[in-house]
Amino acid sequence: MIIIGSDHTGINLKKRIINYLYDKHFEYADVTNFENQDGDDYPDIANIVCRKVLENMSNIGIAICGTGIGISIACNKVRGIRAALCTDEYMATFARKHNNANVLCLGARLKVAEDKDKIEQIVDSFINSFYEGGRHDRRLQKIRDIENMYKEDGR
Ligand code: RB5
């Protein structure tokens, strides 16, 4: 299942992506299905999306804010989440193949979001690319090791 959510800046982009997912018959859940509110800060959205993604190993998330930066920082604070801010198909493909990313972050206020079909191509690349494993397992383990190193310190 594809879990999608956005802060107030990304509502229109989210709707556009949902239309695309619907047309392509992808199963999705919009976890921020509310209209523009002051309280919809990107860390809250990141938390809602990531919590849902972690419910099932096969879930992936799409998390949107203005630049995609804030939401990707917040998503990457959640243990077990590997969030990738992608601005082209190459990034989206290799975020999956090499980094086993489970959340795609997008920036609704970026130039790329104005290009017709570009965001849809990025989303498509992310959904249709798969982790290659092998030598990348070692590197992902090193990321988990870093997570564990800073578990209690918090700095
Ligand atoms: C909200 O104004 C904006 O700061 C947010 O959407 C995002 O771009 C943060 O990184």
Side-chain angles (χ1 to χ4, degrees), residues 5 9 21 30 32 46 48-49 51 60 90 109 112 120 153:
T9 68
L21 296 175
D30 177 3
T32 58
I48 293 169
V49 171
R51 193 177 291 263
I60 56 176
Y90 180 85
R109 289 176 171 163
V112 64
E120 287 79 356
D153 191 273

Side-chain angles (χ1 to χ4, degrees), residues 7-10 40-43 64-73 106-109:
D7 74 358
H8 52 281
T9 68
D40 63 351
D41 292 330
Y42 63 82
I64 308 166
C65 73
T67 57
I69 295 172
I71 205 143
S72 63
I73 292 173
L106 297 169
R109 289 176 171 163

